[in-house]
Amino acid sequence: MKKGLAIFIVLILILGGGYFGYTKYAEGKRIEAMEEALKGDDIYTGITIDGIDVGGLSKEEAKDKILTAKADELEGKNININVEDKNYTFELKNLDHKMDIDKAISEAYEYAREGELEERYSKLEALKENPLNVVIDKEIDYSHVDDFVAKIASEIDTEAVNAEFSVNNGKITSTESKDGKKLDREKLKKDILDAINNSTETITAIVETIEPEKKHSDLERINGLIGSFTTDISTSSNERKTNIRVSSNSVSKKLLLPGESFNFNNAIGDITAANGYKNAHVLKGGEYENGLGGGMCQTSTTLYNALVRSGVKILERHPHSRAANYVPKGQDCAVWKGSKNLRFQNSYDFPIYIDSSVTNNKVTFYVYGDKTKKDYDISFKSEIVEVIKSETIEKEDPSLKPGERVVDVKGYDGYRVVTNKIVTKDGKVISNKQFTKNYYPKRDTIVRVSTETAGEENPSGDASNSDDAVMLP
């Protein structure tokens, strides 16, 4: 028994030693195999850079292969852009690609080269089932896209051309209008960038049609005179006539589209000698005095009367502080920078054209429009409903000689005036309504008298309000 047990133990020891020795040998072989697989200076198999297989290549070989592949990738690849009836080609090779290829190669090369042997080998084995793709850091300069789009726009974009309207010796003419075009630059740029990234080959650009503000078809509706008015300037000084001519030219040859408004004071601009204005009599606060631009109120009054006879909507109008002598009372229109203005609006659905002439000692304004729509006549009749008599107020002045009288202020009567608007068609009155109410305040005569002859004062209690004007519908 004892001898058999001893033999058994010896056999176990022999077998155990053999197994241990074999295991140690096998482990050594495995380590040798892992070391063999991981050695070398080439990029490991199973690694790609931007989809380009670089496994088994040195760094230099990998770089050459990538550069060649990238050049081939862009060569001959174009994006076709259709712009209406034109075609443009954008070549991808023109893009400035800034690629950090060296960084990508270094990342590919360093894969599974750090760490414990087992860890490195495990990563290497994993490549067989899950290959590694290293993405190159890229920065593409898209400025060429901007330049390309700008070039297309320079060939496509055109300004809309407005129709022009003119009247010469009563003959009405209008030029043709033309649509403009505008390339949608932002949309085209976005589409090109999307096409670059998605390998799209064809793009259709969007071109917007720009309609002119003044179309020939609209101006064709101006077919005749719908209102005019004339005032006499024969008694005016040469300076006053000059001011009327300059101001009339400033507000003439104006085309107003439907709904468009006009501002007289803005249109005449600065009243300066440099703009051609002269010193002439102006009515200010009921008194005549010399001032730059004297006579402009006759221009505004003549224009106002042409406008109301054409049926144009008046937005702002003021009477004078003293009734003008070149139109019936209640039909004047005062202007003064900063306080009084003439503003109106084309309330028709067709354009109107305003013109003037200053000839033969007369100033005339003309309003042209669609006579088929404005096929009636407008006239005005003013009635003085009250005369406010001027009074003479005497004031004692002990400095005067006995019986001496000095007129300080020469007075005039005041008036309350109602103006009716009369509409006739085919010779028949179809409307007769009150249009405006106007108040022209009186001015009393002020006389200084000597103490011996002075009479009793009789002050007027009638307040002055030069802007008492009401425009009725």
Side-chain angles (χ1 to χ4, degrees):
M1 287 294 294
K2 290 181 179 181
K3 184 178 180 180
L5 179 59
I7 294 172
F8 177 76
I9 292 172
V10 170
L11 289 174
I12 290 299
L13 290 173
I14 293 172
L15 290 173
Y19 176 76
F20 176 76
Y22 174 78
T23 301
K24 187 174 181 181
Y25 171 78
E27 179 64 14
K29 287 294 184 181
R30 190 175 74 83
I31 291 173
E32 287 179 9
M34 288 190 293
E35 289 175 341
E36 181 66 23
L38 291 167
K39 74 177 183 179
D41 287 332
D42 295 335
I43 298 171
Y44 294 134
T45 301
I47 297 178
T48 60
I49 296 178
D50 265 15
I52 302 167
D53 187 5
V54 292
L57 301 180
S58 67
K59 291 182 179 180
E60 291 75 16
E61 291 171 337
K63 186 170 185 178
D64 289 341
K65 185 175 183 179
I66 292 170
L67 289 174
T68 301
K70 289 297 181 182
D72 292 342
E73 182 180 296
L74 296 176
E75 185 64 37
K77 286 197 173 181
N78 303 321
I79 300 172
N80 297 315
I81 294 99
N82 298 320
V83 188
E84 295 187 320
D85 57 346
K86 297 183 178 181
N87 183 266
Y88 298 84
T89 301
F90 182 83
E91 299 180 348
L92 268 64
K93 68 179 181 180
N94 291 328
L95 290 174
D96 185 8
H97 290 77
K98 296 179 181 178
M99 299 182 291
D100 198 343
I101 296 176
D102 290 336
K103 179 184 175 183
I105 291 174
S106 177
E107 183 180 340
Y109 177 80
E110 293 297 330
Y111 182 81
R113 293 188 185 275
E114 296 291 334
E116 298 294 331
L117 184 65
E118 288 281 0
E119 178 186 0
R120 291 177 59 203
Y121 186 74
S122 176
K123 287 183 177 181
L124 186 63
E125 286 294 295
L127 290 175
K128 296 177 181 179
E129 296 294 330
N130 298 298
L132 172 67
N133 181 55
V134 178
V135 178
I136 300 174
D137 288 343
K138 306 178 190 70
E139 182 180 339
I140 301 177
D141 183 0
Y142 291 109
S143 61
H144 183 68
V145 176
D146 291 325
D147 296 339
F148 181 76
V149 171
K151 179 181 181 297
I152 296 177
S154 69
E155 298 178 8
I156 298 299
D157 290 358
T158 55
E159 295 287 339
V161 178
N162 284 323
E164 297 293 335
F165 184 87
S166 63
V167 179
N168 188 11
N169 294 324
K171 183 180 179 181
I172 299 173
T173 58
S174 61
T175 62
E176 290 291 337
S177 58
K178 186 178 179 181
D179 289 344
K181 295 180 180 180
K182 187 174 181 63
L183 177 73
D184 191 335
R185 296 191 185 200
E186 292 302 318
K187 180 68 166 56
L188 178 56
K189 179 181 176 180
K190 180 181 182 301
D191 288 347
I192 291 176
L193 296 181
D194 288 344
I196 291 171
N197 295 323
N198 299 320
S199 300
T200 305
E201 295 183 354
T202 303
I203 295 172
T204 299
I206 296 175
V207 177
E208 180 185 359
T209 298
I210 308 298
E211 294 186 352
E213 292 182 3
K214 300 170 184 177
K215 298 180 182 179
H216 179 71
S217 58
D218 293 331
L219 299 193
E220 279 188 316
R221 294 192 62 186
I222 304 178
N223 50 42
L225 194 65
I226 61 173
S228 66
F229 195 75
T230 301
T231 58
D232 187 272
I233 58 173
S234 59
T235 59
S236 297
S237 66
N238 288 334
E239 292 78 12
R240 192 173 186 277
K241 290 177 181 178
T242 295
N243 293 335
I244 290 173
R245 182 175 291 105
V246 171
S247 56
S248 293
N249 288 340
S250 297
V251 294
S252 295
K253 304 190 184 309
K254 303 298 183 183
L255 183 70
L256 269 69
L257 299 177
E260 193 172 355
S261 298
F262 189 88
N263 184 309
F264 183 92
N265 284 345
N266 287 350
I268 62 173
D270 294 331
I271 305 169
T272 62
N275 286 336
Y277 288 102
K278 307 290 184 181
N279 276 308
H281 278 168
V282 296
L283 182 60
K284 185 177 180 182
E287 290 292 336
Y288 287 103
E289 59 182 58
N290 267 345
L292 206 59
M296 276 195 311
C297 284
Q298 186 160 353
T299 299
S300 60
T301 292
T302 309
L303 173 58
Y304 164 75
N305 277 273
L307 293 169
V308 293
R309 282 162 175 76
S310 64
V312 172
K313 183 179 181 180
I314 304 299
L315 302 176
E316 180 181 354
R317 168 259 171 180
H318 302 271
H320 288 80
S321 56
R322 181 176 178 179
N325 59 8
Y326 43 81
V327 286
K329 294 176 179 61
Q331 298 182 37
D332 58 329
C333 176
V335 290
W336 191 267
K337 281 280 190 176
S339 60
K340 296 180 180 180
N341 199 358
L342 169 61
R343 296 184 303 111
F344 54 93
Q345 181 184 43
N346 178 12
S347 51
Y348 289 115
D349 64 354
F350 54 82
I352 62 172
Y353 182 78
I354 298 169
D355 203 2
S356 72
S357 65
V358 183
T359 56
N360 300 321
N361 285 321
K362 294 183 184 300
V363 54
T364 303
F365 270 92
Y366 311 90
V367 182
Y368 295 89
D370 188 349
K371 290 184 66 176
T372 63
K373 292 293 292 288
K374 199 271 181 180
D375 58 351
Y376 48 87
D377 295 319
I378 299 175
S379 61
F380 294 87
K381 183 177 181 181
S382 295
E383 180 184 356
I384 299 173
V385 295
E386 182 184 359
V387 177
I388 306 165
K389 299 300 293 182
S390 172
E391 300 179 9
T392 299
I393 300 175
E394 296 182 346
K395 294 186 176 181
E396 292 182 352
D397 187 347
S399 68
L400 296 178
K401 298 176 182 180
E404 186 177 4
R405 296 169 61 88
V406 177
V407 178
D408 282 342
V409 177
K410 186 176 181 180
Y412 47 82
D413 292 339
Y415 302 93
R416 294 190 186 276
V417 181
V418 171
T419 300
N420 275 27
K421 177 181 178 181
I422 304 164
V423 180
T424 59
K425 185 174 181 179
D426 299 327
K428 296 181 180 180
V429 176
I430 58 177
S431 176
N432 187 343
K433 294 180 180 180
Q434 189 178 103
F435 188 61
T436 60
K437 293 192 300 183
N438 297 274
Y439 168 58
Y440 301 94
K442 72 169 184 174
R443 171 160 292 189
D444 290 331
T445 298
I446 307 296
V447 181
R448 285 186 291 118
V449 298
S450 67
T451 306
E452 294 183 7
T453 59
E456 182 179 348
E457 292 186 5
N458 182 22
S460 171
D462 202 346
S464 173
N465 181 0
S466 63
D467 289 335
D468 183 11
V470 179
M471 183 70 69
L472 299 178

